[in-house]
Amino acid sequence: VKSNRVTLTDYLPELIDAMSRTATDERRRFGDALHDNTDEKKREGGNNANDYANDVTLDVRRLDWSDIATNALDWIQFHESTLLVASEVLYEPCHAELLVGCIRRILHRNNAHCNHTNRARSTRVRVLIANFADRPGWVDFCNGMTALADEEDMRIDVRDLDLGNGGYELLDMR
């Protein structure tokens, strides 16, 4: 059964609450074409994403990059194609290494403790991340992602985005 799923993630509880409210509003707006497959809904015996072959399941999850190496990521299905989209996610220099590690873990989510010597990527992945280029950690992040792309035999491109406010760049890895 094909599963079409959008998962919204954040670290901050207040943003997760806001995203959950938005997701609930969107489910009401789109009706039966958009389903709730969050952990809370599953505990209530609610919707199962596999019941909806042609519909979209909308999940809201907490994601902490700092514990991603031990996080099971069971909400990402093995062999599921993945599109990672993020914007303005680097605020501190340490975020660069954490985010690269998180993306590496997603690429190898079938292994409890990923290491880059195992190159059997579990799925097709595309990563799109936009950030102000002058943010602390952006250059280190781009360098880490370039090394990851080399390890994974993936293509990477970092380019300026012309949004009228200058300084914004897009990293595209596939």
Side-chain angles (χ1 to χ4, degrees), residues 4-56:
N4 299 304
R5 194 159 44 88
V6 174
T7 303
L8 307 173
T9 66
D10 207 293
Y11 172 76
L12 299 173
E14 59 271 15
L15 292 179
I16 292 172
D17 290 344
M19 287 188 306
S20 293
R21 287 191 301 276
T22 299
T24 298
D25 291 345
E26 292 304 310
R27 286 186 202 99
R28 284 188 196 119
R29 184 173 159 212
F30 289 100
D32 289 339
L34 202 56
H35 304 284
D36 184 348
N37 196 37
T38 59
D39 290 334
E40 180 179 326
K41 193 66 170 180
K42 285 179 184 177
R43 282 191 298 276
E44 296 170 0
N47 299 326
N48 178 343
N50 293 327
D51 292 340
Y52 308 102
N54 297 312
D55 297 328
V56 176

Side-chain angles (χ1 to χ4, degrees), residues 7-9 82-89 103 126-130 170-171:
T7 303
L8 307 173
T9 66
T82 303
L83 171 64
L84 300 169
V85 179
S87 178
E88 284 303 300
V89 290
I103 293 168
R126 181 156 186 196
V127 178
L128 298 168
I129 298 183
L170 175 70
L171 178 137

Side-chain angles (χ1 to χ4, degrees), residues 4 30 51 63 80 84 90 108 116 125 142 147 172:
N4 299 304
F30 289 100
D51 292 340
L63 181 61
E80 181 178 58
L84 300 169
L90 298 169
H108 295 275
H116 50 111
V125 175
C142 291
D172 183 356

Side-chain angles (χ1 to χ4, degrees), residues 2-161:
K2 183 179 179 186
S3 174
N4 299 304
R5 194 159 44 88
V6 174
T7 303
L8 307 173
T9 66
D10 207 293
Y11 172 76
L12 299 173
E14 59 271 15
L15 292 179
I16 292 172
D17 290 344
M19 287 188 306
S20 293
R21 287 191 301 276
T22 299
T24 298
D25 291 345
E26 292 304 310
R27 286 186 202 99
R28 284 188 196 119
R29 184 173 159 212
F30 289 100
D32 289 339
L34 202 56
H35 304 284
D36 184 348
N37 196 37
T38 59
D39 290 334
E40 180 179 326
K41 193 66 170 180
K42 285 179 184 177
R43 282 191 298 276
E44 296 170 0
N47 299 326
N48 178 343
N50 293 327
D51 292 340
Y52 308 102
N54 297 312
D55 297 328
V56 176
T57 300
L58 180 59
D59 299 339
V60 177
R61 307 276 180 174
R62 183 173 186 276
L63 181 61
D64 183 349
W65 301 339
S66 66
D67 66 12
I68 199 72
T70 58
N71 186 340
L73 292 178
D74 58 354
W75 48 272
I76 300 177
Q77 302 299 310
F78 184 64
H79 294 302
E80 181 178 58
S81 293
T82 303
L83 171 64
L84 300 169
V85 179
S87 178
E88 284 303 300
V89 290
L90 298 169
Y91 296 98
E92 303 202 18
C94 65
H95 290 167
E97 183 178 344
L98 292 172
L99 185 53
V100 171
C102 179
I103 293 168
R104 174 178 280 117
R105 177 71 175 97
I106 289 170
L107 290 173
H108 295 275
R109 63 185 158 272
N110 56 322
N111 300 325
H113 297 283
C114 167
N115 65 51
H116 50 111
T117 59
N118 176 359
R119 304 207 177 182
R121 198 167 55 248
S122 60
T123 187
R124 291 173 302 178
V125 175
R126 181 156 186 196
V127 178
L128 298 168
I129 298 183
N131 216 80
F132 277 107
D134 63 355
R135 292 272 191 198
W138 177 249
V139 171
D140 290 340
F141 172 72
C142 291
N143 290 337
M145 290 298 292
T146 298
L148 180 59
D150 288 345
E151 293 166 12
E152 299 295 328
D153 197 26
M154 297 175 76
R155 196 180 101 224
I156 192 163
D157 179 38
V158 179
R159 62 184 173 272
D160 290 332
L161 290 178

